[in-house]
């Protein structure tokens, strides 16, 4: 089997490996925080506070993160954000391992690490064109999505194992080590710094330039809308602790398997969609993937036991990966480099802020209706949104991911 040309690039290989390792720690820590809050309180509403804290940080700081991703050395900005997250994770590990953790300590740590990520994520996306030639950009982004899902697969599973061995504090300690590894990898990269641009516009004007570009691009707006429909109303992860304990009657290991299963499906979906990223009718892939995701969320909610739930979790992960790969490639390829950080930040509000808002919303809904009813109703929304988008507009239905101009 031929190795993709993008993997013959030293800097991209280093970066890719460091990001995967860091995300394994981050995803494991996220699963551990949800489990820890539910263990401390037994309340899905309070578990939703973790998502609310993440949403506040994302919505408030993401535009600023995008501005600085377009202004500063993106590699150094990444190092600084990773170092901040490292300190927060180390502090949470210390208070948890010493038995002094509280719900508010966990929520505050989620707020601070997400605040660091609002500067991290736009820089991560915008740094890639400095490492690979344009004709390899589609392949680079198509590889990063399954890599992320590999991290989401391994992170929660590892978290379940570490929680069973030594509690959530052990997960946070591992997360600290992975942050340190990425800081080191970033120091080894050879990437150009920011281009001198003379007098810069004020920060607020720079933010408006990014949002104005998104407003002028209907395809980006509609892709963001579909993303929000899936991530806000199909936010299943916040309810997994309650479903695992009260419906499927499984322990920490079973919870870890359930948290990891969607990523196993995502790897399957990513392997299939890898070749479709640059083919015709990519819009169909987004629409079908979004609808299938919503229906699989409903199936997960209605699953009577662990094994049917695992099947549904794999299915929703595969459907999500199919839609997400096309969305990410489209947003990056349709954006000029000088705006890529700001547009990535705007998209981040949907792709990462949506799940955070969804965690809070679904936590409250589950407190009122129960996790099964809340998740069943929520899963119908992305399916209906995909159907409505297909019927009312050709923008997404006929969209094709553009081929890079210099491709062979």
């Amino acid at each position: 089997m031929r190795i993709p040309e993008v993997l013959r690039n030293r800097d991209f290989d280093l970066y890719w490996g460091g990001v995967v390792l860091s995300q394994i720690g981050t995803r494991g820590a996220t699963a551990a925080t949800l489990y820890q809050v539910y263990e401390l309180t037994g309340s899905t509403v309070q578990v939703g506070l973790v998502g609310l804290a993440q949403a506040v940080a994302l919505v408030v700081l993401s535009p600023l993160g995008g501005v600085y991703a377009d202004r500063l050395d993106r590699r150094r900005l990444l190092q600084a954000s990773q170092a901040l997250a490292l300190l927060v994770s180390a502090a949470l590990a210390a208070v948890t391992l010493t038995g002094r953790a509280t719900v508010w300590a966990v929520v505050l740590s989620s707020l601070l690490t997400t605040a660091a990520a609002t500067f991290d994520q736009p820089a991560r996306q915008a740094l890639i064109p400095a490492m690979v030639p344009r004709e390899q950009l589609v392949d680079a982004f198509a590889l990063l999505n399954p890599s992320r899902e590999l991290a989401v697969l391994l992170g929660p599973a590892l978290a379940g194992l570490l929680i069973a061995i030594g509690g959530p504090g052990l997960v946070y300690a591992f997360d600290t080590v992975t942050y340190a590894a990425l800081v080191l990898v970033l120091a080894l990269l050879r990437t150009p710094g920011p281009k001198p641009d003379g007098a810069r516009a004020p920060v607020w004007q720079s933010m408006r330039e990014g949002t104005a570009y998104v407003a002028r691009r209907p395809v980006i707006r509609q892709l963001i809308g579909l993303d929000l429909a899936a991530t806000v109303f199909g936010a299943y992860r916040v309810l997994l602790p309650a479903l695992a304990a009260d419906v499927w009657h499984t322990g920490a290991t079973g919870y870890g398997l359930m948290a990891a299963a969607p990523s196993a499906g995502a790897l399957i979906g990513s392997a299939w969609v890898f070749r479709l990223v640059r083919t015709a009718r990519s819009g169909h892939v987004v629409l079908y993937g979004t609808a299938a995701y919503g229906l699989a969320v409903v199936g997960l909610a209605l699953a009577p036991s662990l094994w049917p739930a695992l099947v549904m979790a794999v299915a929703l992960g595969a459907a999500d990966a199919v839609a997400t790969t096309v969305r990410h490639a489209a947003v990056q390829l349709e954006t000029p480099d000088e705006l890529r950080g700001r547009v990535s930040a705007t998209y981040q509000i949907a792709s990462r802020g949506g799940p955070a808002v969804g965690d809070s919303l679904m936590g409250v809904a589950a407190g009122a209706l129960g996790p099964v009813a809340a998740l069943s109703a929520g899963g119908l929304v992305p399916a209906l949104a995909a159907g409505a988008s297909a019927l009312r507009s050709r923008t997404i239905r006929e969209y094709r991911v553009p081929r890079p101009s210099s491709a062979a």
Side-chain angles (χ1 to χ4, degrees), residues 8-379:
R8 301 178 187 274
N9 183 305
R10 170 205 179 261
D11 286 330
F12 181 77
D13 287 351
L14 278 172
Y15 176 77
W16 188 38
V19 165
V20 171
L21 181 60
S22 177
Q23 287 192 339
I24 289 173
T26 299
R27 297 294 180 169
T30 298
T33 56
L34 299 177
Y35 183 88
Q36 186 176 17
V37 172
Y38 190 73
E39 185 180 50
L40 289 171
T41 66
S43 167
T44 57
V45 175
Q46 294 199 54
V47 173
L49 291 175
V50 175
L52 181 61
Q54 294 171 339
V56 169
L58 283 163
V59 172
V60 172
L61 294 176
S62 283
L64 189 62
V67 169
Y68 283 105
D70 285 336
R71 291 188 175 201
L72 303 180
D73 184 319
R74 290 161 178 168
R75 181 174 62 88
R76 294 191 181 279
L77 181 59
L78 271 172
Q79 282 184 301
S81 63
Q82 290 290 297
L84 174 59
L86 183 156
L87 294 175
V88 174
S89 190
L92 183 59
V95 298
T96 300
L97 290 170
T98 56
R100 292 180 292 170
T102 64
V103 170
W104 293 111
V106 178
V107 171
L108 178 61
S109 74
S110 294
L111 175 68
L112 293 175
T113 53
T114 305
T118 59
F119 291 86
D120 176 303
Q121 293 296 327
R124 283 193 192 196
Q125 297 287 324
L127 183 64
I128 295 170
M131 292 186 285
V132 301
R134 178 169 172 79
E135 62 267 20
Q136 295 176 12
L137 273 179
V138 173
D139 289 343
F141 285 113
L143 280 169
L144 283 170
N145 279 328
S147 300
R148 181 197 61 170
E149 298 303 339
L150 178 63
V152 181
L153 169 65
L154 296 177
L158 181 60
L161 178 61
L162 293 177
I163 289 170
I165 294 172
L170 206 54
V171 183
Y172 306 140
F174 173 74
D175 189 32
T176 302
V177 173
T178 66
Y179 280 127
L182 183 53
V183 171
L184 176 61
V185 164
L186 289 167
L188 299 175
L189 296 184
R190 299 187 295 250
T191 58
K195 297 178 182 177
D197 58 0
R200 287 173 172 163
V203 169
W204 289 107
Q205 183 177 332
S206 294
M207 289 182 188
R208 287 196 298 270
E209 288 174 359
T211 55
Y213 182 82
V214 172
R216 295 194 302 270
R217 299 293 296 169
V219 66
I220 296 180
R221 291 201 315 271
Q222 292 189 33
L223 288 171
I224 288 174
L226 287 172
D227 200 321
L228 284 171
T231 57
V232 172
F233 296 98
Y236 62 91
R237 291 189 187 276
V238 70
L239 301 184
L240 287 182
L243 289 169
D246 303 331
V247 178
W248 306 321
H249 305 293
T250 185
T253 303
Y255 166 72
L257 286 173
M258 279 304 308
S263 294
L267 290 174
I268 297 170
S270 295
W272 174 64
V273 79
F274 186 86
R275 294 183 180 179
L276 298 180
V277 174
R278 290 183 282 179
T279 63
R281 302 293 184 181
S282 301
H284 286 186
V285 177
V286 173
L287 294 172
Y288 292 144
T290 303
Y293 172 82
L295 295 177
V297 168
V298 175
L300 174 70
L302 298 176
S305 61
L306 179 62
W307 292 110
L310 284 170
V311 173
M312 288 295 102
V314 169
L316 71 87
D320 186 43
V322 164
T324 298
T325 298
V326 176
R327 286 197 299 259
H328 282 190
V331 170
Q332 295 300 324
L333 285 170
E334 299 252 344
T335 305
D337 184 66
E338 64 271 15
L339 289 170
R340 193 168 271 128
R342 282 164 283 178
V343 172
S344 294
T346 302
Y347 186 64
Q348 174 181 249
I349 294 176
S351 64
R352 298 192 71 239
V357 172
D359 284 350
S360 180
L361 176 67
M362 295 305 296
V364 172
L369 305 174
V372 173
L375 196 57
S376 297

